[in-house]
Amino acid sequence: MAMSNLIEYDQASTEVRAVYDDIMATRRTDRVNNFWKAIARDPTTLRRTWQSVKEIMTPGALDALTKEMIYVAVSVTNQCNYCIASHSAAARKAGMTDSMFAELMAVVGMANETTASPAGIRWKSTSSSK
Amino acid sequence: MAMSNLIEYDQASTEVRAVYDDIMATRRTDRVNNFWKAIARDPTTLRRTWQSVKEIMTPGALDALTKEMIYVAVSVTNQCNYCIASHSAAARKAGMTDSMFAELMAVVGMANETTASPAGIRWKSTSSSK
Amino acid sequence: MAMSNLIEYDQASTEVRAVYDDIMATRRTDRVNNFWKAIARDPTTLRRTWQSVKEIMTPGALDALTKEMIYVAVSVTNQCNYCIASHSAAARKAGMTDSMFAELMAVVGMANETTASPAGIRWKSTSSSK
Amino acid sequence: MAMSNLIEYDQASTEVRAVYDDIMATRRTDRVNNFWKAIARDPTTLRRTWQSVKEIMTPGALDALTKEMIYVAVSVTNQCNYCIASHSAAARKAGMTDSMFAELMAVVGMANETTASPAGIRWKSTSSSK
Amino acid sequence: MAMSNLIEYDQASTEVRAVYDDIMATRRTDRVNNFWKAIARDPTTLRRTWQSVKEIMTPGALDALTKEMIYVAVSVTNQCNYCIASHSAAARKAGMTDSMFAELMAVVGMANETTASPAGIRWKSTSSSK
Amino acid sequence: MAMSNLIEYDQASTEVRAVYDDIMATRRTDRVNNFWKAIARDPTTLRRTWQSVKEIMTPGALDALTKEMIYVAVSVTNQCNYCIASHSAAARKAGMTDSMFAELMAVVGMANETTASPAGIRWKSTSSSK
């Protein structure tokens, strides 16, 4: 699962560099995640995805920590290991403690369990109705 | 969610009728489920799907009841209401009691819960390692 | 999708009534959701599921609103309409506004989009490596 | 995917050790799977998950082998490699032969294929109706 | 599944009307799908989603028909009935015949079947290795 | 994720060799993918799966490239890394360029995003209706 063919800053076009600069400025960091370097091979996708993520993840009615935990909840449900690692790190940076993470996982597990059950239950009730 | 444009026996081609006849003979019934009447619009898909289902669902190392319950487990996980209804009916016909159904649903729910949890847990352990 | 064969309080056994009573007391309400009445056909599952839900959804490191929104996020990802309706109602009761709901949906949508993309991207990079 | 930060028996609290002891006694083994050691960081989750698993997986209307194969069916559908490995091993221990495993996989594959098809077929029929 | 609280053109703000106008102009139609009227309650989401969809679905290296069929393939896999209906209609408008639809469904079904199988098979091989 | 216990040509039975020969002749290659060598442990599954794949993937109303891209779309949605690698390679062999792949991934990502959103939106509208 090696990540090769990433577009590094040095080799990036002006258009790609502008996005990288905005990512680093917005996140107050001096590095860009491999996710962005990988999709940078298609600059249109890079720009569109970053603009959407930036707009969606900015604190608004929900704060940054809540948004990152929601992201983790979806990623765990979808079994996307890369997404889990990256957004759990962001959630921790935004203040998620070990206890919060444990409760987050417990809710996600329970939500996946009860998602599966009702379908079967519903059919059972229906099929026996007069 | 009305099922229209089903291919009824009367209007079916010889090729389609042959499959319908085999379905009814194999299942010892005088009716064909709507699923088959719907895919009969593409006779190649009808024939191929029936041949596969017939071969796979025939009792072998696993008996008919176990196979139908496994089918229900996958259908509930995939939230496919039509599949749940149809294969739960087949499982009941093959001997599934209310208690067996309740335990089946409990295992399916638990399997979906623990499927979701480990992904998050695994990351947690990994990311904190030295 | 009619819900029949629900176990109403009047017809319920002492064991089932005890769970119903605890649900109503814990949630400060005088009604029990159909979900519980449906699984009450198997009292063991009813008791176990309620105990887990009660323990997991109680405010702790995460407050009730955050937990309900996480539940909604998983339910939307799993396309479970019953779960979405029931837990969105609970989230609203716990204080979720229209703006919070809109941002919740935006994060869920984005998390599902980027979950799908990286898999393809990762392969692309890997397969072209030397 | 190294599993670090697992709670080993020696370092575990009395509460966690009690669960480990019950797992080993119930399963007649002298080792505890990493899954349990990983979630043991949150003793409440450990205790609740083990109690549920123990109650659900105990032979009842369905025998142990059938329950483990159902677990595997859900795990394969969810692409959870850890779950597949762990519950396939349990199924083999309970008597699953190579032939049974091959038929289990065939049913799971077919159930996933037909789960996907009907959705499309249903729409086709509906949309062309008068 | 009634769609209420849709934002109709007459009641829409200037910002929302501008998006509706662009949707109708781009698609050469005089109506806007309910999907857009529903998310218009959050104008930011409406604008961002439309801009992304417009950019992504415009013919480029792939033509419109291929893009719509890919959209249908994902929607069927996700069991999203609304998406299937809406994008199958778009695919038909772009030239999808009954035969093409039948083959599309066959490929989607097969891809979902073989997605499920390898996970189990892979484990089987691995676990028996020396 | 080592693949052991694969059935190589030299050790294969006549029945298995016949399928391998047909795979190599059909695909004009002198090697057989590990997928087939792994399921060859169950010759019935090998034969049935190959016959279905051969019938479904043969160019018809849809050409080979479109079929392979649809296969990739489903595989990415299901997060099946082996399937993605194998069918992306096949798609490239059939003519998929870097630009086509980038657009394919963009459509798949968007389809997964909008699949998740409507469920939540639909409930919101419905629950507020009079």
Side-chain angles (χ1 to χ4, degrees):
Chain A
M1 218 171 289
M3 299 289 278
S4 55
N5 287 330
L6 302 174
I7 307 295
E8 299 295 340
Y9 194 91
D10 292 345
Q11 46 171 153
S13 66
T14 311
E15 185 187 359
V16 167
R17 280 190 188 186
V19 177
Y20 284 5
D21 287 338
D22 194 34
I23 291 173
M24 291 187 286
T26 303
R27 299 190 162 174
R28 283 171 213 159
T29 173
D30 58 355
R31 60 185 294 278
V32 171
N33 274 349
N34 281 350
F35 173 79
W36 303 108
K37 294 182 187 170
I39 65 174
R41 293 173 58 147
D42 185 44
T44 308
T45 295
L46 171 69
R47 182 190 44 70
R48 185 184 60 242
T49 306
W50 166 243
Q51 281 181 346
S52 293
V53 167
K54 184 183 177 181
E55 186 173 309
I56 290 169
M57 299 307 283
T58 296
L62 300 177
D63 56 56
L65 172 56
T66 303
K67 287 186 170 186
E68 291 293 349
M69 288 194 300
I70 291 166
Y71 216 115
V72 171
V74 173
S75 302
V76 169
T77 301
N78 285 333
Q79 304 259 330
C80 172
N81 290 326
Y82 179 86
C83 321
I84 296 168
S86 138
H87 287 277
S88 292
R92 287 192 182 281
K93 205 169 155 185
M96 183 177 71
T97 62
D98 275 3
S99 302
M100 294 167 85
F101 184 76
E103 294 193 10
L104 169 60
M105 285 301 101
V107 175
V108 170
M110 178 51 56
N112 275 288
E113 175 179 350
T114 49
T115 288
S117 301
I121 288 160
R122 194 174 304 131
W123 173 78
K124 194 183 180 183
S125 333
T126 307
S127 72
S128 317
S129 66
K130 312 286 141 41
Chain B
M1 221 171 287
M3 298 290 276
S4 56
N5 285 332
L6 302 174
I7 308 296
E8 299 295 341
Y9 193 92
D10 292 345
Q11 45 171 151
S13 66
T14 311
E15 184 188 0
V16 166
R17 279 190 190 187
V19 177
Y20 284 5
D21 287 338
D22 193 35
I23 290 172
M24 291 186 287
T26 304
R27 299 191 162 171
R28 284 173 212 157
T29 173
D30 58 355
R31 60 185 294 278
V32 171
N33 274 351
N34 282 349
F35 173 79
W36 303 110
K37 294 182 186 169
I39 64 175
R41 293 173 59 149
D42 183 44
T44 308
T45 295
L46 172 67
R47 183 190 44 69
R48 184 185 59 241
T49 307
W50 166 243
Q51 281 181 345
S52 294
V53 166
K54 185 182 177 181
E55 186 173 309
I56 289 170
M57 299 307 283
T58 295
L62 300 177
D63 57 56
L65 173 54
T66 303
K67 287 186 169 186
E68 291 293 350
M69 288 194 298
I70 291 165
Y71 217 115
V72 171
V74 173
S75 302
V76 169
T77 300
N78 284 334
Q79 303 259 330
C80 173
N81 289 327
Y82 178 86
C83 321
I84 295 168
S86 138
H87 287 277
S88 292
R92 288 192 181 281
K93 206 169 155 185
M96 182 176 71
T97 63
D98 275 4
S99 302
M100 293 166 85
F101 184 76
E103 294 193 10
L104 169 60
M105 284 303 100
V107 176
V108 170
M110 177 52 57
N112 276 287
E113 176 179 348
T114 48
T115 288
S117 301
I121 288 160
R122 193 173 308 132
W123 172 78
K124 194 183 181 183
S125 332
T126 308
S127 71
S128 317
S129 64
K130 312 285 140 41
Chain C
M1 220 171 285
M3 299 290 276
S4 57
N5 286 331
L6 302 174
I7 308 296
E8 299 295 341
Y9 193 92
D10 291 346
Q11 45 172 153
S13 66
T14 310
E15 185 188 358
V16 167
R17 280 190 188 185
V19 177
Y20 284 5
D21 287 338
D22 193 34
I23 291 173
M24 291 187 287
T26 304
R27 299 192 161 171
R28 283 172 213 158
T29 172
D30 59 354
R31 61 184 295 278
V32 171
N33 274 351
N34 281 349
F35 173 79
W36 304 108
K37 294 182 186 169
I39 64 174
R41 293 172 59 146
D42 183 43
T44 308
T45 295
L46 172 68
R47 183 191 43 69
R48 184 185 60 242
T49 306
W50 166 243
Q51 281 181 345
S52 293
V53 166
K54 184 182 175 182
E55 187 173 308
I56 289 169
M57 299 307 283
T58 295
L62 299 177
D63 56 55
L65 172 54
T66 303
K67 287 187 170 186
E68 291 294 350
M69 288 194 300
I70 292 165
Y71 217 115
V72 171
V74 173
S75 302
V76 169
T77 301
N78 284 334
Q79 303 260 331
C80 173
N81 290 326
Y82 178 87
C83 321
I84 296 168
S86 139
H87 288 277
S88 292
R92 287 192 181 281
K93 206 169 154 186
M96 182 177 70
T97 63
D98 275 4
S99 302
M100 293 167 86
F101 184 76
E103 295 193 10
L104 169 61
M105 285 302 100
V107 176
V108 170
M110 177 51 56
N112 275 288
E113 176 179 349
T114 48
T115 287
S117 301
I121 288 160
R122 195 173 305 132
W123 173 79
K124 194 184 181 183
S125 333
T126 307
S127 72
S128 317
S129 64
K130 311 284 138 44
Chain D
M1 220 172 284
M3 299 289 277
S4 56
N5 286 330
L6 302 173
I7 308 296
E8 299 295 341
Y9 194 92
D10 292 345
Q11 47 170 153
S13 66
T14 310
E15 185 188 359
V16 167
R17 280 190 188 187
V19 177
Y20 284 5
D21 288 337
D22 194 34
I23 291 173
M24 292 186 287
T26 304
R27 299 191 161 172
R28 282 170 214 161
T29 172
D30 58 354
R31 61 185 294 277
V32 171
N33 274 350
N34 281 350
F35 173 79
W36 303 108
K37 293 182 186 169
I39 64 174
R41 292 173 59 148
D42 183 45
T44 307
T45 294
L46 171 69
R47 183 189 44 69
R48 184 184 59 242
T49 305
W50 166 243
Q51 281 182 345
S52 293
V53 166
K54 184 182 176 182
E55 186 172 310
I56 289 169
M57 299 307 283
T58 296
L62 301 177
D63 56 56
L65 172 56
T66 303
K67 288 187 169 185
E68 291 294 349
M69 288 193 300
I70 292 165
Y71 217 115
V72 171
V74 173
S75 302
V76 170
T77 301
N78 284 334
Q79 303 259 330
C80 172
N81 290 327
Y82 179 87
C83 321
I84 296 168
S86 138
H87 288 276
S88 292
R92 288 193 180 281
K93 204 169 157 186
M96 183 176 70
T97 62
D98 275 4
S99 303
M100 293 167 86
F101 184 75
E103 294 193 11
L104 169 59
M105 285 301 101
V107 175
V108 170
M110 177 52 56
N112 275 287
E113 175 179 350
T114 48
T115 289
S117 302
I121 287 160
R122 193 174 305 131
W123 172 78
K124 194 183 181 184
S125 332
T126 307
S127 72
S128 317
S129 65
K130 311 288 139 41
Chain E
M1 219 172 285
M3 298 291 275
S4 56
N5 285 332
L6 302 174
I7 308 296
E8 299 296 340
Y9 194 92
D10 292 345
Q11 44 171 155
S13 66
T14 310
E15 185 187 359
V16 166
R17 280 190 186 186
V19 176
Y20 284 5
D21 287 338
D22 193 35
I23 291 173
M24 292 187 287
T26 304
R27 299 191 162 172
R28 282 173 214 156
T29 173
D30 58 355
R31 59 184 294 279
V32 171
N33 274 351
N34 281 350
F35 173 79
W36 303 109
K37 293 182 186 169
I39 64 174
R41 292 172 59 147
D42 183 44
T44 307
T45 295
L46 172 67
R47 182 189 45 68
R48 184 185 59 241
T49 307
W50 166 243
Q51 281 181 346
S52 293
V53 166
K54 185 182 176 182
E55 187 173 308
I56 290 170
M57 299 306 284
T58 296
L62 299 178
D63 56 55
L65 172 54
T66 302
K67 288 187 170 185
E68 290 294 349
M69 287 194 299
I70 291 165
Y71 216 115
V72 171
V74 173
S75 302
V76 169
T77 300
N78 285 333
Q79 303 259 330
C80 173
N81 290 326
Y82 178 87
C83 321
I84 295 168
S86 138
H87 287 278
S88 293
R92 287 191 182 281
K93 206 169 156 185
M96 181 177 72
T97 63
D98 275 4
S99 302
M100 294 167 85
F101 184 77
E103 294 192 11
L104 169 60
M105 285 302 100
V107 175
V108 170
M110 178 51 57
N112 275 287
E113 176 180 349
T114 48
T115 288
S117 302
I121 288 160
R122 193 174 307 132
W123 173 80
K124 194 183 180 183
S125 333
T126 307
S127 71
S128 316
S129 64
K130 312 286 139 41
Chain F
M1 218 172 288
M3 298 290 278
S4 57
N5 286 330
L6 302 174
I7 307 296
E8 299 295 340
Y9 194 92
D10 292 345
Q11 46 170 153
S13 65
T14 311
E15 185 188 358
V16 166
R17 279 190 189 186
V19 177
Y20 284 5
D21 287 338
D22 194 34
I23 291 173
M24 291 187 287
T26 304
R27 299 191 161 171
R28 283 170 213 161
T29 173
D30 57 356
R31 61 185 293 278
V32 171
N33 274 349
N34 281 349
F35 173 79
W36 303 108
K37 293 183 186 169
I39 65 174
R41 294 173 58 147
D42 184 43
T44 308
T45 295
L46 171 68
R47 183 190 42 70
R48 185 186 58 242
T49 306
W50 166 244
Q51 281 182 346
S52 293
V53 166
K54 185 182 177 182
E55 187 173 308
I56 289 169
M57 299 307 283
T58 296
L62 299 177
D63 56 56
L65 172 55
T66 303
K67 288 187 170 185
E68 291 293 350
M69 287 194 300
I70 291 165
Y71 217 115
V72 171
V74 173
S75 302
V76 169
T77 300
N78 285 333
Q79 303 260 332
C80 173
N81 290 326
Y82 178 86
C83 321
I84 295 168
S86 138
H87 288 277
S88 292
R92 287 192 181 282
K93 205 170 156 185
M96 182 176 72
T97 62
D98 275 4
S99 302
M100 293 167 86
F101 184 76
E103 294 193 11
L104 169 60
M105 285 302 100
V107 175
V108 170
M110 177 52 56
N112 275 288
E113 174 179 349
T114 49
T115 288
S117 301
I121 288 160
R122 194 175 306 132
W123 172 78
K124 193 183 181 184
S125 331
T126 307
S127 71
S128 319
S129 66
K130 314 283 142 39

